[in-house]
Amino acid sequence: MMVFVFSIGMIRRYMPRREILLVLAVAFLIGAIGGAFFLQPIYEEVPDLASSFEKSMPNNKETLYLDLSSSVDTDALRRDVSAMEGFKSFDETSISIPMWHFNEVEHDYFEEIVGNIDSNYKNYNVTSDRINIELADNYTSTEALKTFSDWFKLVYGETLSYAQIHAVLVVDSSHLDDFEKALLDKGIVASSIEGPVQNTVNNTNSSMLSNLEFTLVCGGVGVIVALIGIYMDSVVPAYRRFRKSMKTKRKR
């Protein structure tokens, strides 16, 4: 496409002088279209290319933070990911239990009682409509949800319909793509990722042009190429004269 733009610039001398603006407008349009449809997909791959070095480092690790539904079989998930190459660790860190909107009395009651339900609740906090419980080491979300659910049914006569499980998966950076695909096959997407690979991707993304900016830059390149074509007849002879004068000076 740039060859075509250059050619348009070259034939400008056969057009009326006032048509130069039309030539530049067409060059900008062609450059912008080429950038948007042909170069943009390649440009979007830059973060992945930039992170390839970090993926090749043997000791790099990535930490994936997972927010799972209580319907997910975390024991099966643990078995599946632990069998994969590059697995480091999988820990269930906490659970979040959505509740109704508490009034002040109910809020104070749960603040006082939750810690007495199970000694394996490492820490907890109660918001206006949710109870967040941090789990002790080697204590699973299944066990924590069961004790809370049993207590809730005993006191309120109802069962819990939903809860959220928070887990942390640590993997070798070189196998990050494999784990992301395996999780996606189960309908799970990490809420956030931390590590050298993700840091490189984030830093690269923050320094990249937006789609509109990239398209405008490509349009500008088209204009520059067209200008080179337009003034090629004067630039080339001037360059040759410059080289000839330099050779003459050297002989002297």
Side-chain angles (χ1 to χ4, degrees):
M1 296 184 81
M2 288 300 99
V3 172
F4 179 66
V5 169
F6 181 80
S7 301
I8 293 176
M10 288 288 289
I11 65 173
R12 204 286 309 168
R13 59 182 173 174
Y14 301 109
M15 303 178 185
R17 191 173 184 82
R18 63 178 179 273
E19 298 297 333
I20 187 172
L21 292 179
L22 177 60
V23 171
L24 295 179
V26 171
F28 178 84
L29 183 62
I30 292 175
I33 292 174
F37 289 96
F38 296 102
L39 297 181
Q40 185 69 40
I42 299 174
Y43 186 65
E44 290 175 348
E45 296 297 322
V46 170
D48 289 334
L49 293 174
S51 65
S52 59
F53 173 77
E54 296 294 348
K55 289 181 180 179
S56 66
M57 299 300 290
N59 295 322
N60 282 349
K61 296 184 294 185
E62 302 295 312
T63 302
L64 291 80
Y65 296 91
L66 310 178
D67 295 327
L68 310 171
S69 168
S70 54
S71 61
V72 173
D73 187 343
T74 53
D75 292 333
L77 178 61
R78 181 192 299 273
R79 288 195 300 271
D80 292 342
V81 296
S82 62
M84 295 177 62
E85 185 178 0
F87 171 81
K88 297 294 184 183
S89 65
F90 178 84
D91 297 303
E92 299 168 53
T93 57
S94 62
I95 57 174
S96 296
I97 305 171
M99 307 292 282
W100 63 90
H101 191 82
F102 297 139
N103 58 38
E104 186 175 348
V105 174
E106 290 170 333
H107 181 277
D108 293 343
Y109 171 70
F110 278 104
E111 278 276 14
E112 181 180 352
I113 200 66
V114 171
N116 298 323
I117 296 174
D118 191 327
S119 60
N120 288 298
Y121 294 172
K122 185 176 179 181
N123 198 3
Y124 69 93
N125 75 292
V126 181
T127 66
S128 60
D129 60 355
R130 184 179 294 265
I131 298 174
N132 303 299
I133 301 172
E134 185 179 348
L135 306 181
D137 296 339
N138 300 318
Y139 193 63
T140 67
S141 59
T142 302
E143 296 169 310
L145 287 171
K146 185 179 186 308
T147 56
F148 188 90
S149 181
D150 290 345
W151 171 85
F152 189 78
K153 186 172 184 178
L154 180 66
V155 175
Y156 290 94
E158 299 178 5
T159 56
L160 296 175
S161 58
Y162 175 79
Q164 192 173 58
I165 301 167
H166 305 289
V168 177
L169 173 64
V170 181
V171 304
D172 192 308
S173 293
S174 61
H175 295 279
L176 175 61
D177 294 341
D178 297 333
F179 281 91
E180 287 187 306
K181 184 180 183 303
L183 291 173
L184 188 60
D185 290 342
K186 299 177 181 295
I188 301 170
V189 177
S191 57
S192 64
I193 303 176
E194 294 179 357
V197 171
Q198 192 61 36
N199 291 340
T200 301
V201 171
N202 292 341
N203 292 336
T204 305
N205 281 329
S206 64
S207 63
M208 291 175 66
L209 300 174
S210 66
N211 291 346
L212 177 59
E213 291 170 337
F214 182 77
T215 301
L216 293 177
V217 168
C218 290
V221 172
V223 171
I224 293 172
V225 172
L227 287 172
I228 294 174
I230 290 171
Y231 295 105
M232 179 60 68
D233 289 342
S234 58
V235 171
V236 172
Y239 175 70
R240 287 174 179 171
R241 288 194 298 270
F242 174 76
R243 287 187 62 186
K244 186 176 181 179
S245 64
M246 292 297 294
K247 288 180 180 179
T248 302
K249 289 180 179 180
R250 287 175 184 172
K251 290 180 180 179
R252 292 177 182 174

